[in-house]
Amino acid sequence: MSYETILVERRDRVAVITLNRPKQLNALNVQMARDLTDAARELDADESVGCMVVTGSAKAFAAGADIKEMTGLSYMDAHRLDWFHLWDLLGAVRKPIIAAVSGYALGGGCELAMICDFIIAADTAKFGQPEIKLGVMPGIGGSQRLTRAVGKAKAMDMVLTGRMMDAAEAERSGLVSRVVAPDRLMDEALEAAKTIAAMSLPSTRMNKEAVNVAFETGLAQGVRFERRLFQATFAMNDQKEGMAAFVEKRPAQFSHD
Ligand code: HXC
């Protein structure tokens, strides 16, 4: 797979997508949104991939949507653009995506990290929704996902002042799952991805789907959904194998069906 604005690399069942406009601090232009979505959807359809990692450069995961590309847009241009739909497609990917964040994750960059399933951050990471300083606002889910991740107090503070949150505050607030030294970032993310990719793929998809339902529904509905999925796992060969392997005290060999 070859793309203009990203690099895609395979390591066994893990795929690493690197945002690759370092001079522009990985500002997310329309081409990058297209490349990223195309790659993620292709990898989602490839049964030999179990997990993806999205990362940027040491200085910037992504410093936001490309402001230079957006300055001249009219309302109708923005309305016509497939940009928003592309991010929805990324959110609809069924395999896990880990964001490995170093440096700036601002605006659309922070929103992209939050579309991923969880965030592992270098201690240099800085998160923010500074759109208010440009006279606009988050546009790819930031006002919603940030509020769900860190609660109203922190989200209002971030969105209204445009200030950045460092990695320690982001971890305390529940935005990121782990913070590591910068030189450990990719190893940590790859180890997590490798662990996930070794699990049963259908079971992984169901686990991801169930946690996501917690964001969209009430508790009773979510618990009912989880119960149906749990029951469905007993239709899978991987359930038979996983439980047999435990009883026989050996590692499971999942066939991903
Ligand atoms: C376009 C950008 C950019 C961006 C940085 N660059 N961020 N270009 N869009 N979002 C470019 C700069 O213009 C510059 O190019 C080069 O990258 C290096 O950036 P500097 O500003 O010189 O670096 P530094 O002084 O280290 O400051 C880093 C920074 C700053 C604090 C991250 O670049 C910054 O504030 N960037 C904008 C952050 C932001 O407002 N993000 C939200 C965007 S709106 P040149 O050619 O001059 O060297 C958004 C909306 C999402 O994301 C919703 C859309 C639907």
Side-chain angles (χ1 to χ4, degrees):
M1 289 188 269
S2 171
Y3 297 96
E4 218 176 287
T5 63
I6 60 170
L7 303 170
V8 180
E9 188 194 339
R10 283 289 302 275
R11 299 191 188 194
D12 298 320
R13 290 180 57 76
V14 173
V16 180
I17 301 175
T18 304
L19 308 178
N20 192 31
R21 299 182 75 215
K23 286 201 188 97
Q24 296 85 5
L25 305 186
N26 289 327
L28 303 163
N29 60 5
V30 172
Q31 188 59 46
M32 194 186 268
R34 290 203 180 110
D35 287 349
L36 190 53
T37 315
D38 285 350
R41 278 157 57 82
E42 196 169 320
L43 294 164
D44 202 28
D46 179 344
E47 289 284 304
S48 70
V49 174
C51 189
M52 298 171 221
V53 175
V54 175
T55 194
S57 68
K59 181 168 178 184
F61 176 75
D66 191 320
I67 300 169
K68 291 166 193 166
E69 197 178 64
M70 284 187 299
T71 42
L73 287 187
S74 68
Y75 168 77
M76 277 319 300
D77 294 333
H79 199 265
R80 273 187 214 106
L81 212 59
D82 61 354
W83 164 264
F84 302 96
H85 173 62
L86 289 171
W87 298 113
D88 289 343
L89 293 177
L90 191 66
V93 165
R94 295 166 75 203
K95 284 175 191 164
I97 308 179
I98 300 172
V101 175
S102 176
Y104 297 111
L106 302 177
C110 186
E111 295 174 298
L112 165 58
M114 292 190 291
I115 291 173
C116 297
D117 296 304
F118 64 97
I119 302 172
I120 299 181
D123 59 24
T124 57
K126 289 192 185 305
F127 299 88
Q129 298 291 160
E131 290 91 338
I132 195 160
K133 295 189 200 169
L134 302 170
V136 291
M137 59 178 295
I140 44 182
S143 62
Q144 307 304 300
R145 289 195 181 89
L146 186 66
T147 308
R148 281 168 164 80
V150 304
K152 181 181 169 185
K154 287 272 184 203
M156 281 290 191
D157 180 355
M158 303 290 295
V159 166
L160 295 180
T161 67
R163 77 170 174 91
M164 294 185 211
M165 199 188 243
D166 66 18
E169 186 181 4
E171 188 181 30
R172 271 200 314 277
S173 310
L175 180 60
V176 313
S177 68
R178 315 179 192 183
V179 176
V180 296
D183 61 358
R184 276 283 309 152
L185 178 65
M186 281 318 287
D187 286 344
E188 189 85 11
L190 287 169
E191 277 164 31
K194 195 176 162 196
T195 300
I196 293 167
M199 305 295 178
S200 158
L201 182 53
S203 167
T204 300
R205 287 195 189 106
M206 289 185 201
N207 276 275
K208 169 170 170 165
E209 192 179 7
V211 174
N212 278 336
V213 165
F215 279 92
E216 292 158 14
T217 62
L219 181 63
Q221 200 183 339
V223 168
R224 276 198 297 276
F225 181 78
E226 178 197 71
R227 193 163 304 158
R228 289 291 165 269
L229 283 185
F230 176 78
Q231 290 159 348
T233 63
F234 287 81
M236 296 178 348
N237 290 325
D238 284 346
Q239 172 272 324
K240 307 279 177 283
E241 166 60 13
M243 292 192 177
F246 176 81
V247 172
E248 292 161 19
K249 299 188 187 297
R250 61 173 175 80
Q253 292 291 333
F254 292 120
S255 52
H256 307 292
D257 62 4

